[in-house]
Amino acid sequence: MAFIISFDLDDLLIPGIKRFPVERNFLWHRLFSREKIRQGTISLIQALRARGCRIYIYTTSYRSPAYIRRLFFPYGIFPKKIINKTLHDKILGERAHRISKYPPAFNIDIHVDDAPGVGIEGECYHFPTIIIGEDDLHWVDTVLQRLSDHAAQQTGKGAKQ
């Protein structure tokens, strides 16, 4: 089953406060961005694309969509949609101040993040999340397994209806 999957940026795909291994960064990567992406991101996105998934970036940062596209371009990653804080606030309006992320507003099936608080919001507002710890060296497998579990769960719901 193909999903629309969104990924957070800071401390999930890009090291910030949290530190983790990053993908190799060649000189020409640095021409596009000063930031590096988490090791495994390329293989994960390729695996998700092979499953027919569409990839979105959903961040609470004010980085421009153009900058975010330049960040991923050298790695051969082309997100279908970029949702930054500006777009989040515009679409959610007054609700934007009460919730940090709300994937259903953007037709996102499942959101991947590092913040346990986003997982709590998912439970409260009924949207599925995958929360990844900085020490999860097998985070790619974690995401793929949780997506498989989610797909099985969705198939089971469809069969019951």
Side-chain angles (χ1 to χ4, degrees):
M1 180 179 270
F3 292 112
I4 296 175
I5 303 163
S6 62
F7 290 87
D8 179 41
L9 280 184
D10 294 308
D11 294 322
L12 176 73
L13 296 183
I14 298 172
I17 295 169
K18 298 177 181 175
R19 296 291 173 192
F20 38 75
V22 295
E23 297 281 0
R24 281 187 78 184
N25 194 343
F26 297 102
L27 175 63
W28 61 283
H29 289 108
R30 286 176 256 164
L31 296 174
F32 290 93
S33 171
R34 65 190 176 284
E35 298 176 289
K36 299 176 183 179
I37 64 173
R38 187 180 200 148
Q39 190 173 48
T41 301
I42 298 168
S43 63
L44 175 59
I45 300 304
Q46 289 171 343
L48 294 173
R49 276 196 201 137
R51 293 180 180 195
C53 295
R54 292 190 308 188
I55 307 302
Y56 289 10
I57 300 297
Y58 192 166
T59 179
T60 54
S61 84
Y62 286 101
R63 291 178 187 89
S64 73
Y67 173 81
I68 294 169
R69 289 187 193 289
R70 283 193 311 271
L71 167 66
F72 288 103
F73 173 77
Y75 298 101
I77 298 172
F78 307 98
K80 293 287 182 192
K81 186 170 189 124
I82 308 288
I83 301 143
N84 65 4
K85 180 72 168 135
T86 304
L87 182 58
H88 169 87
D89 289 352
K90 179 181 176 184
I91 297 299
L92 293 180
E94 200 165 302
R95 292 182 299 163
H97 303 293
R98 293 190 301 268
I99 185 168
S100 65
K101 296 198 173 110
Y102 188 64
F106 302 96
N107 297 314
I108 295 166
D109 297 306
I110 193 160
H111 177 70
V112 184
D113 210 293
D114 67 293
V118 173
I120 293 168
E121 288 178 342
E123 291 173 16
C124 290
Y125 295 101
H126 310 291
F127 61 85
T129 61
I130 300 171
I131 305 301
I132 301 296
E134 75 180 292
D135 58 343
D136 185 349
L137 298 178
H138 304 286
W139 76 282
V140 170
D141 296 330
T142 300
V143 171
L144 294 174
Q145 182 58 54
R146 292 281 310 279
L147 283 173
S148 294
D149 296 347
H150 183 71
Q153 199 175 37
Q154 296 302 308
T155 302
K157 283 183 183 176
K160 291 177 186 176
Q161 293 176 351

